[in-house]
Amino acid sequence: MTTSIKRLPGRMPGWAKVLTAVVVVLVVMFAGIRFSLLPGLRDVFGTETHDRSGPALLRSIQDMSRYEAASGNFQVVVDLEKDAKYLPDALRGTRTLYVGAGTVDAYVDLGKVGDKDVTVDGDRTSATLRLPHARLGTPALDPDRSYAVSKQRGLLDRLGDLFSDNPNGEQAVQKLAVRHIGDAAKDSELTARAESNTTGMLQGLLRSLGFKEVRVTYGS
């Protein structure tokens, strides 16, 4: 009587499992690249963006009496460096080079003009207006024209980014850019241009109503 003995397959060696996994990954990646090169087919590794934001809610409405008479475009290069006292920069410290671009508006608040600030002669051919000086609005940073040129971070700062809710935050350089843009607007002739444009607008408006002489002054 002959008894047949079946051999049980031996276990696959560890190195063979690793090699098989590498081959499978390479095959999948190669297939994905080939699919992306074919016209009409999307990349199997592509990502999709879904906007699940809620609707914008109107919180308040304010009546505006400002005449926006001029607007200035500014750009500043911010070089912000933060160092630790007793640690080398490679271990702890950050340095960010940031280009900030934004606008500042200059306006004249016509809502502060009272009855005593407007004088009209009897035959309504001459008018004198006294307006408040032009003021600067809040600087507005343009995210489409502002960007970080370079970022350098120490090892500890990079590790901290892994556990931060907002890694590589640029709030500090953005606030600094806004401050520099605001200072540049104060040193510019933006308010003078706003008063000149306001004067031209009012003179053209009143002359179209029949006034021959229109005088506009500025003061408190």
Side-chain angles (χ1 to χ4, degrees):
M1 184 176 184
T2 303
T3 303
S4 60
I5 300 175
K6 296 182 178 180
R7 292 185 178 181
L8 296 175
R11 291 184 176 181
M12 181 181 295
W15 63 267
K17 294 181 180 180
V18 174
L19 181 61
T20 302
V22 172
V23 171
V24 171
V25 171
L26 292 177
V27 170
V28 173
M29 290 180 62
F30 179 75
I33 295 174
R34 292 296 298 272
F35 285 144
S36 65
L37 296 178
L38 293 176
L41 293 179
R42 297 181 60 185
D43 185 0
V44 295
F45 294 104
T47 58
E48 295 182 355
T49 301
H50 302 279
D51 185 4
R52 296 188 173 90
S53 305
L57 301 178
L58 177 63
R59 301 300 297 271
S60 63
I61 297 178
Q62 293 179 336
D63 294 330
M64 304 298 293
S65 59
R66 297 178 176 179
Y67 175 63
E68 303 288 343
S71 181
N73 293 304
F74 298 87
Q75 187 178 71
V76 61
V77 178
V78 178
D79 189 352
L80 181 61
E81 184 176 2
K82 295 182 180 180
D83 297 326
K85 281 188 176 181
Y86 306 107
L87 294 176
D89 294 342
L91 188 60
R92 183 63 186 272
T94 61
R95 183 176 182 181
T96 304
L97 192 63
Y98 183 84
V99 176
T103 58
V104 180
D105 295 332
Y107 65 92
V108 175
D109 192 352
L110 300 179
K112 293 184 178 181
V113 179
D115 295 336
K116 296 181 179 180
D117 298 321
V118 179
T119 303
V120 178
D121 63 350
D123 56 358
R124 297 184 60 85
T125 58
S126 176
T128 301
L129 295 85
R130 184 176 62 185
L131 308 179
H133 282 294
R135 302 183 63 180
L136 296 174
T138 303
L141 200 63
D142 187 353
D144 294 331
R145 297 189 295 126
S146 303
Y147 56 93
V149 178
S150 65
K151 297 179 182 179
Q152 299 176 6
R153 305 187 308 279
L155 178 60
L156 295 179
D157 297 280
R158 294 182 182 181
L159 293 176
D161 289 343
L162 298 177
F163 303 97
S164 174
D165 294 334
N166 186 22
N168 303 330
E170 297 178 352
Q171 293 91 342
V173 290
Q174 289 175 350
K175 290 181 179 179
L176 197 56
V178 168
R179 192 179 75 183
H180 287 314
I181 289 175
D183 293 339
K186 294 177 182 178
D187 296 334
S188 69
E189 299 180 355
L190 196 56
T191 54
R193 175 67 68 86
E195 292 182 0
S196 176
N197 292 341
T198 303
T199 298
M201 182 273 295
L202 292 175
Q203 287 179 342
L205 177 62
L206 293 178
R207 284 170 181 168
S208 66
L209 297 176
F211 289 89
K212 298 179 180 179
E213 182 181 356
V214 179
R215 183 171 180 263
V216 181
T217 61
Y218 296 86
S220 56

